[in-house]
Amino acid sequence: MTALLLKRVRLEESFEYTNEQIVATNTGIYDVLITNDVITEIAPQIEVADDIEVFDAQCQLLLPAFREMHIHLDKTYFGGEWQAPSIATNGIQTRIDEEKILLPKQLPTAAFRAEKIVQMLIAQGHTHIRSHCNVDQQIGTKHVELVKEVLEKYRGQITYDIVAFPQHGLLKSEVLPLMKEAMQLGATLVGGVDPATVDRDIERSLQQMMDIAVEYNAGVDIHLHDGDTLGAFEIKKLAALTKEAGKQGHVTVSHAFALAGLEQSPLNELIAQMAEVQMDVTSTVPIGLKSNTIPIPYLWENGIRVSVGHDSLVDHWSPFGTGNTITKLNILAERFRYIDEYSINRTWKYASGGITPLNDAGERVWPKVGDAANMLLLDGVSTAHVVARRCPITTVISNGNIIHQSSIELKGVYR
Amino acid sequence: MNYWLTNVRLETGEYEKDNGTIGTKVESFHLEILNGTIQQICSATEPLPQKAEQVDMQGKLLLPAFKEMHNHLDKTYLSQPWKATIPSKNLQHRLDMEAAELSILAKTGKERAMTMIDLILRNGATHIRTHVNIDPYIGLKNLEGVLAALEHYKDVVTADIIAFPQHGLLRDDVPSLMREALRNGATMVGGLDPAGIDLTIERSLYTVMDIANEFDVDVDIHLHDGGQVGYYTVDKWIDIVEQANYKDRTAISHAFSLGDVSVGAQQKIAERLAAQQVKIMSTVPISMGRNIPPIDLLTKYGVDVHFGCDGFYDSWSPLGSGDILEKATRYAEISHKSNERALRNTLRYITNGITPLTQDGKYAWPNIGDEASFVLMNAASSAEVVARRPLERVVISKGKIIE
């Protein structure tokens, strides 16, 4: 048995109202005992035997750890020399053509760079990582293998999913046998990409993807950049396939840009179809001048789980990306015009797999005895404070173990 | 004060990489700094005079210091306990809520402004343009706080201090308060939404210009008014600038309306703005449904565009970071500037137009005689700085290293 006692942690308890308006978050200071990897006691004062590790949180805020739900660990410049992307003259095809030369060239450093990202994500408070890994004619299954090896090194600190990702088209690049091989080698989810734009055969592309998922008893996570009615059509088809295959609750649409480009009534119709098969969505919260972000809060309110992901930190697709999920939520707040304590507070769920200390009604629901001990200590006094002012994470706890610490001057309510 | 800043990397040109992309060429130099300016620039391979005082920058990339061109030092809650913003029903409600706390906040004006200046400075901006409320509730109280704070930083931060009629210009005795502010330390005249707030466009604009003329100071007007009414306000302002011979002396902040109109209308106004050298200040907002001025188009037409962080952690917004570089990064991202040149050129919006290399990659900065105000970072090029926004920075203002 391993145990850890966190002394003096700040827990959110309720919202504070003035004139029926939420103006602040009330917190209390507690001790939290973790035994093995779960929380076993929460009380104002807990006394333990001498041989139990005690960590003084100094009244820092305790919040649920992050889950990074969309990243490509396998193809990155991160940890290497600076390189700006080239000018794309032929859209996504320019990038795919580049990969055919670039990825084999990067193979010798790929594991090193993947590990650099994993370390950075851990330091930024993530205890779960979902990584897409190219499965293509040049790389074969090597990316799946090397990323798995890297992630296995951090087992105990993080859990993970590996998505076998036919970036160059499941049909177009003829990778069906390679995809199956990737699933055998340890990929946990079947990926896909724009059946219309890349494979140019919506029906057959989606069907083949789902067939692999059924054969390997796995879930699906598909990249869908295709816009408005085209993307909507693909999602609709996918929802029908999901039902047919009995994959309810196991299918994710990444990006789902189509949801940003629909009129209200077709949007509602599509959301209902997605919700029926418990399809979920991941978004990087893109901020392009001429494009909208998908209506993340509206999707959630209507039964679609939405998670955020960083996608890329710096690669041949994009030079931007921070790996900092607090910044990501801050951008989400700005994008959706959240300025008050309550609405900023509610953003945490998009990064934590839905876990928040207070529920929508302001009742304390986390942490509870029996909860997994994946959590963060932060130099802030409320979730809203942390997101708005990007308060730093000082301690990352995974499965009851402290896996990362950074020493900073604590400022608390004055940060 | 005389010393050598050694082993700094400067961008000296471009080269074509093996993969066909453009890379930025950098070389190491020593810079002699004398009385806040660059006295000599020599290659790092050359020996230095033996007794020279040296500060080793260990290969950091040298960039011009940033300029924060739209802020509100008087409004922030920094240095006070955290609080979020209370949602407002409309602009008038927001103004009423601000008015209700002005006198309480005024007591801590200097302390709050100092904390904000410190944050902005450490992020690399050595010049701050701040708007300061001049209003019928507390008169010049906020100006006093901001002036006291800036006085504390006077050796390392230059500032434009704008008398800003946040609660309307044409009401109560605000015009005379504005004049009093200009006699007591404000260096520019501000204005605010003539249509939306003053409910009279021409008289409001003329009053701003009259006050500016009277004190021979420059102008920077907040204009949130959107669509055609905002567009007309800018157009009318340019008429007034022409009449008053105020070329190169005025700016419009926010100017959302320029993003609301057709490209044809944008081109037309861009020509007029460029002719009268009216600058546009943007805080590059990303809230959905908000258009921003067509920055690329304005730049192409020769209009000066500058970025600012705007007020942050205040009764208007709890968000922000106080890092002006983040605005450049954000603009590059939202306008899809991702290659080396496009990223590099985005730096101009936070450096008063200075970039180390010209548009086509020729050496442009620094030169002997330039002010020794720099930001230094571990980066391969200014393109990397814009894309990756390194957080560790050494800031030097007129030769003084910020400790």
Side-chain angles (χ1 to χ4, degrees):
Chain A
M1 191 190 82
T2 60
L4 172 67
L5 176 65
L6 299 175
K7 293 293 280 181
R8 295 199 293 163
V9 301
R10 184 180 300 277
L11 300 181
E12 293 189 328
E13 296 191 300
S14 62
F15 290 120
E16 170 78 19
Y17 289 79
T18 301
N19 303 326
E20 291 171 33
Q21 168 75 50
I22 290 169
V23 294
T25 305
N26 297 315
T27 59
I29 304 300
Y30 291 86
D31 292 354
V32 174
L33 181 66
I34 303 159
T35 313
N36 294 324
D37 48 7
V38 297
I39 293 162
T40 47
E41 192 182 349
I42 302 165
Q45 287 275 355
I46 299 174
E47 300 301 329
V48 290
D50 286 351
D51 58 340
I52 285 179
E53 186 187 349
V54 177
F55 182 87
D56 184 2
Q58 299 176 71
C59 302
Q60 291 180 83
L61 186 67
L62 189 75
L63 290 177
F66 292 136
R67 296 165 66 84
E68 164 56 54
M69 289 301 279
H70 188 112
I71 194 152
H72 297 259
L73 290 178
D74 61 326
K75 39 181 187 185
T76 183
Y77 295 144
F78 191 79
E81 264 178 33
W82 161 249
Q83 167 69 54
S86 68
I87 298 168
T89 48
N90 193 18
I92 182 173
Q93 197 54 47
T94 299
R95 300 301 176 218
I96 289 175
D97 291 344
E98 277 174 337
E99 289 198 350
K100 292 176 183 169
I101 299 161
L102 179 67
L103 296 185
K105 224 163 128 183
Q106 283 187 168
L107 204 50
T109 54
F112 170 82
R113 292 183 184 180
E115 188 164 352
K116 283 281 171 210
I117 297 186
V118 171
Q119 290 167 347
M120 198 274 270
L121 287 174
I122 288 173
Q124 299 290 356
H126 303 84
T127 58
H128 180 83
I129 297 173
R130 177 180 289 194
S131 176
H132 294 256
C133 291
N134 264 40
V135 174
D136 63 46
Q137 290 297 351
Q138 288 71 39
I139 288 302
T141 59
K142 291 195 197 83
H143 279 189
V144 169
E145 293 167 67
L146 71 90
V147 166
K148 186 179 176 191
E149 203 169 308
V150 167
L151 288 167
E152 278 295 321
K153 262 175 85 171
Y154 291 84
R155 185 175 274 281
Q157 300 191 36
I158 50 164
T159 52
Y160 67 84
D161 271 310
I162 292 175
V163 188
F165 176 44
Q167 168 81 76
H168 304 170
L170 178 58
L171 306 178
K172 194 184 179 199
S173 65
E174 300 173 343
V175 289
L176 181 61
L178 282 172
M179 285 289 287
K180 292 186 175 186
E181 211 178 302
M183 298 308 292
Q184 280 157 13
L185 286 166
T188 56
L189 293 163
V190 184
V193 59
D194 296 329
T197 318
V198 178
D199 275 344
R200 307 201 63 78
D201 189 338
I202 300 171
E203 201 85 13
R204 215 157 57 84
S205 178
L206 290 176
Q207 184 69 57
Q208 253 188 38
M209 177 182 72
M210 193 58 84
D211 288 348
I212 306 171
V214 170
E215 190 179 335
Y216 291 92
N217 195 26
V220 166
D221 187 339
I222 183 171
H223 282 66
L224 267 190
H225 315 89
D226 286 339
D228 54 74
T229 52
L230 178 58
F233 177 76
E234 291 169 320
I235 293 173
K236 198 168 144 185
K237 283 300 228 186
L238 182 60
L241 279 175
T242 302
K243 202 169 172 180
E244 223 175 274
K247 290 286 179 193
Q248 289 91 337
H250 297 285
V251 176
T252 300
V253 179
S254 284
H255 306 307
F257 291 155
L259 297 169
L262 295 178
E263 301 287 338
Q264 198 63 45
S265 138
L267 175 65
N268 289 342
E269 201 179 301
L270 188 60
I271 288 173
Q273 286 165 339
M274 295 169 75
E276 197 196 330
V277 293
Q278 299 151 51
M279 200 179 260
D280 66 300
V281 169
T282 58
S283 175
T284 63
V285 199
I287 55 172
L289 264 182
K290 292 190 179 84
S291 54
N292 284 330
T293 302
I294 60 170
I296 294 170
Y298 186 74
L299 292 171
W300 189 281
E301 285 158 23
N302 288 281
I304 310 289
R305 305 270 290 195
V306 186
S307 305
V308 294
H310 292 278
D311 198 354
S312 153
L313 299 180
V314 52
D315 61 17
H316 65 290
W317 296 77
S318 166
F320 308 109
T322 64
N324 184 324
T325 293
I326 292 172
T327 299
K328 183 71 79 185
L329 295 178
N330 181 286
I331 285 166
L332 188 152
E334 187 172 351
R335 194 75 169 142
F336 290 96
R337 298 170 182 258
Y338 292 160
I339 56 172
D340 62 292
E341 182 87 14
Y342 181 75
S343 52
I344 299 173
N345 172 289
R346 300 323 291 156
T347 62
W348 200 265
K349 59 178 179 273
Y350 302 121
S352 63
I355 305 169
T356 52
L358 302 177
N359 64 15
D360 287 351
E363 296 151 348
R364 189 178 123 187
V365 291
W366 182 95
K368 277 203 160 74
V369 170
D371 283 346
N374 297 319
M375 44 209 197
L376 314 173
L377 286 170
L378 302 109
D379 183 29
V381 294
S382 70
T383 301
H385 182 206
V386 165
V387 172
R389 296 202 180 173
R390 306 181 190 179
C391 300
I393 296 167
T394 68
T395 312
V396 182
I397 298 166
S398 174
N399 284 323
N401 298 307
I402 294 171
I403 61 168
H404 180 82
Q405 285 186 75
S406 59
S407 91
I408 53 153
E409 182 202 345
L410 296 180
K411 295 181 183 167
V413 73
Y414 294 100
R415 180 169 289 279
Chain B
M1 192 175 61
N2 177 217
Y3 67 95
W4 284 84
L5 206 56
T6 64
N7 301 309
V8 300
R9 286 203 289 180
L10 302 181
E11 297 185 328
T12 56
E14 288 180 343
Y15 68 102
E16 197 184 318
K17 293 186 167 186
D18 294 342
N19 60 16
T21 63
I22 287 173
T24 300
K25 207 170 135 194
V26 292
E27 293 169 72
S28 284
F29 292 88
H30 302 316
L31 269 58
E32 187 187 16
I33 311 298
L34 177 64
N35 300 328
T37 57
I38 301 171
Q39 182 76 4
Q40 285 190 69
I41 302 174
C42 65
S43 168
T45 54
E46 285 174 41
L48 289 175
Q50 271 192 343
K51 278 190 182 161
E53 191 187 323
Q54 299 179 20
V55 182
D56 188 355
M57 285 294 131
Q58 299 169 322
K60 287 191 176 64
L61 183 73
L62 185 94
L63 294 179
F66 305 148
K67 287 182 189 286
E68 160 58 57
M69 290 301 277
H70 187 102
N71 217 305
H72 295 264
L73 293 177
D74 56 331
K75 292 184 195 263
T76 189
Y77 298 151
L78 269 171
S79 83
Q80 307 295 303
W82 154 253
K83 61 176 167 176
T85 301
I86 307 292
S88 63
K89 295 186 199 89
N90 49 45
L91 181 59
Q92 194 52 52
H93 185 212
R94 170 68 61 222
L95 289 169
D96 292 345
M97 284 196 284
E98 177 181 274
E101 66 176 17
L102 279 171
S103 57
I104 304 160
L105 282 172
K107 291 175 192 150
T108 52
K110 181 184 174 188
E111 187 187 348
R112 289 181 297 103
M114 275 180 63
T115 312
M116 197 154 176
I117 294 167
D118 202 67
L119 180 60
I120 291 168
L121 174 64
R122 281 171 202 288
N123 280 321
T126 60
H127 180 85
I128 300 172
R129 173 172 288 196
T130 179
H131 297 254
V132 180
N133 268 34
I134 301 299
D135 59 54
Y137 308 103
I138 57 163
L140 272 54
K141 283 269 186 322
N142 277 4
L143 179 63
E144 290 161 21
V146 167
L147 286 171
L150 283 167
E151 173 66 20
H152 187 85
Y153 287 91
K154 69 177 190 305
D155 293 340
V156 285
V157 175
T158 54
D160 301 314
I161 304 154
I162 303 175
F164 173 48
Q166 170 77 76
H167 293 262
L169 178 61
L170 303 180
R171 59 174 287 191
D172 304 302
D173 54 350
V174 174
S176 58
L177 281 171
M178 293 279 287
R179 290 183 167 90
E180 208 181 317
L182 286 157
R183 280 190 286 267
N184 286 283
T187 63
M188 287 177 68
V189 183
L192 170 67
D193 292 334
I197 299 287
D198 278 341
L199 306 177
T200 158
I201 299 176
E202 297 79 9
R203 206 153 55 84
S204 178
L205 292 177
Y206 277 116
T207 305
V208 168
M209 187 56 91
D210 285 349
I211 299 172
N213 245 317
E214 198 179 317
F215 289 88
D216 191 22
V217 293
D218 292 358
V219 177
D220 188 336
I221 299 172
H222 274 67
L223 188 64
H224 313 90
D225 286 339
Q228 295 295 332
V229 79
Y231 186 86
Y232 168 72
T233 306
V234 177
D235 209 27
K236 180 68 193 175
W237 176 250
I238 301 170
D239 291 349
I240 296 172
V241 170
E242 280 171 358
Q243 288 157 16
N245 285 319
Y246 246 62
K247 186 175 168 177
D248 196 25
R249 298 192 67 180
T250 75
I252 306 283
S253 282
H254 304 307
F256 300 135
S257 62
L258 302 187
D260 295 335
V261 298
S262 69
V263 173
Q266 290 174 345
Q267 290 168 334
K268 214 169 122 197
I269 204 90
E271 272 177 22
R272 294 201 73 204
L273 289 166
Q276 288 302 317
Q277 295 175 35
V278 178
K279 300 168 188 67
I280 299 294
M281 308 295 172
S282 179
T283 63
V284 202
I286 52 166
S287 41
M288 285 227 271
R290 163 71 74 209
N291 283 327
I292 67 170
I295 292 166
D296 285 358
L297 182 145
L298 292 170
T299 304
K300 200 175 127 203
Y301 275 76
V303 179
D304 271 352
V305 179
H306 303 269
F307 291 167
C309 285
D310 209 348
F312 54 93
Y313 308 160
D314 58 24
S315 69
W316 297 75
S317 173
L319 309 174
S321 67
D323 181 8
I324 190 64
L325 176 57
E326 186 171 13
K327 297 293 183 181
T329 304
R330 170 184 290 193
Y331 183 64
E333 185 171 358
I334 66 177
S335 60
H336 306 292
K337 292 181 182 32
S338 61
N339 66 74
E340 185 83 8
R341 274 188 176 177
L343 285 167
R344 171 204 299 152
N345 288 333
T346 308
L347 197 67
R348 65 159 71 188
Y349 300 115
I350 60 168
T351 58
N352 197 26
I354 303 171
T355 49
L357 298 180
T358 61
Q359 292 268 8
D360 52 356
K362 305 276 188 311
Y363 185 98
W365 179 95
N367 294 296
I368 290 165
D370 283 348
E371 184 181 301
S373 294
F374 315 121
V375 187
L376 296 107
M377 283 170 269
N378 285 316
S381 64
S382 39
E384 183 181 6
V385 166
V386 170
R388 307 301 305 155
R389 193 165 73 90
L391 295 177
E392 274 179 40
R393 302 172 197 176
V394 175
V395 181
I396 299 178
S397 181
K398 287 182 237 168
K400 295 177 197 72
I401 299 170
I402 308 302
E403 300 295 345

